[in-house]
Amino acid sequence: MAGFIHRPLPAAGALALLKIEGVSKSYQMGEVRVDALKHVTLSFSSGELAVLLGASGSGKSTLLNIIGGLDSVTEGKLYFRDRDLSEAGDAELTAYRRHSIGFVFQFFNLIPSLTALENVELVTDIAREPMPASDALQLVGLEGRLHHFPAQLSGGEQQRVAIARAVAKQPELLLCDEPTGALDFQTGKLVLDVIRKVNDELGTTVLLITHNASIAGIGDRVVRMRSGEVWEDFRNESRRPPSELEW
Ligand SMILES: Nc1ncnc2c1ncn2[C@@H]1O[C@H](COP(=O)(O)OP(=O)(O)O)[C@@H](O)[C@H]1O
Ligand SMILES: [Mg+2]
């Protein structure tokens, strides 16, 4: 595939891309305080595909939103490379979100009046070192759908446009919150295949949230959360391609 800017995969034992140190997050709801995260300490290396697994309400989205600069910590520290994001101001967080992070959510959030290509171009127009929008769509297997509108695409295709949009700016970190949550099983596998490919071919570090234990099989590493805490954190020795998942 011509035109991709490939990032080489880092050597084993690579530097930490992201360090989370004793992070807690509480929400005050009137009289009630919800402790969504309790003293979470984790670090992620460049190039890994980690799955955050846990039941609904276990704090996964809160953690991902904090990592993505969408929410702030109540307590603790968060470093991206050597930048202390827990102390960053709004302008720095905006630049961090814009240049370093790609987001993929359960619902695809495409703009209905724009074609697939135009949806991706919205991001490449403001990015620093984007790949061409058409290359990003080719990467996700949608080179034949460039001029389709979202309503003319299946759910899985729409999610692949959303992935193309997230990776076209060549973010260092791709954050996916339940990316297959709105899709059926077969379609979900195709979407996971594309996420796996982004990690394998572009070397993008990926954090993927799911509540589905069988999806965790595609990760290099699985972090299990429970009640706002890290419950388990292990290397996945029997990593499987998405096509072999059963759920
Ligand atoms: N903006 C918010 N305001 C108040 N409570 C919240 C907010 N976001 C999340 N919570 C609460 O924090 C806990 C963790 O939520 P969340 O991170 O969304 O879990 P998960 O993604 O694992 O389902 C839940 O109890 C949830 O109700
Ligand atoms: Mg969630």
Side-chain angles (χ1 to χ4, degrees):
M1 282 186 250
F4 292 142
I5 305 165
H6 291 274
R7 285 183 198 283
L9 280 170
L15 42 138
L17 181 66
L18 190 70
K19 271 194 226 158
I20 301 156
E21 293 179 357
V23 162
S24 297
K25 176 71 183 180
S26 306
Y27 296 104
Q28 194 69 39
M29 304 292 287
E31 305 274 280
V32 183
R33 198 181 77 171
V34 178
D35 296 318
L37 293 176
K38 302 169 198 162
H39 309 290
V40 170
T41 295
L42 280 170
S43 115
F44 295 98
S45 305
S46 222
E48 66 181 338
L49 192 167
V51 173
L52 301 181
L53 175 68
S56 177
S58 58
K60 308 180 298 294
S61 295
T62 302
L63 181 60
L64 211 74
N65 291 344
I66 287 174
I67 290 172
L70 294 172
D71 205 348
S72 59
V73 304
T74 303
E75 196 190 312
K77 289 283 186 188
L78 178 74
Y79 299 93
F80 184 81
R81 299 203 180 283
D82 43 11
R83 265 151 77 192
D84 182 350
L85 294 179
S86 34
E87 299 291 337
D90 283 349
E92 193 179 349
L93 280 181
T94 302
Y96 166 71
R97 281 193 302 266
R98 179 171 301 173
H99 300 296
S100 303
I101 304 295
F103 290 102
V104 175
F105 296 103
Q106 178 173 359
F107 300 103
F108 330 122
N109 304 320
L110 301 178
I111 299 188
S113 59
L114 299 181
T115 63
L117 188 64
E118 290 165 342
N119 266 281
V120 178
E121 282 171 347
L122 273 187
V123 170
T124 55
D125 283 351
I126 59 166
R128 252 188 228 141
E129 280 181 68
M131 63 169 85
S134 55
D135 282 9
L137 285 159
Q138 187 185 344
L139 178 77
V140 302
L142 291 179
E143 60 279 2
R145 298 283 188 281
L146 302 185
H147 306 296
H148 283 56
F149 290 94
Q152 300 169 324
L153 297 169
S154 70
E157 287 171 339
Q158 290 183 57
Q159 189 61 301
R160 281 147 65 196
V161 174
I163 294 169
R165 179 180 59 186
V167 301
K169 63 180 172 182
Q170 304 224 71
E172 287 175 277
L173 184 56
L174 179 65
L175 302 177
C176 307
D177 193 344
E178 305 268 7
T180 62
L183 303 172
D184 64 71
F185 160 64
Q186 290 300 340
T187 312
K189 289 208 276 199
L190 289 175
V191 164
L192 294 173
D193 253 329
V194 167
I195 292 171
R196 199 53 269 180
K197 187 173 170 192
V198 165
N199 175 254
D200 287 340
E201 294 187 10
L202 302 182
T204 313
T205 308
V206 179
L207 304 186
L208 186 153
I209 285 184
T210 183
H211 64 272
N212 183 334
S214 39
I215 290 180
I218 72 156
D220 304 318
R221 173 180 173 190
V222 179
V223 175
R224 266 182 73 188
M225 299 197 52
R226 193 156 134 179
S227 305
E229 295 176 296
V230 174
W231 188 250
E232 270 186 296
D233 181 0
F234 57 93
R235 298 251 129 230
N236 184 14
E237 303 299 344
S238 54
R239 198 182 97 182
R240 301 168 77 185
S243 58
E244 288 177 16
L245 295 180
E246 292 161 27
W247 77 82

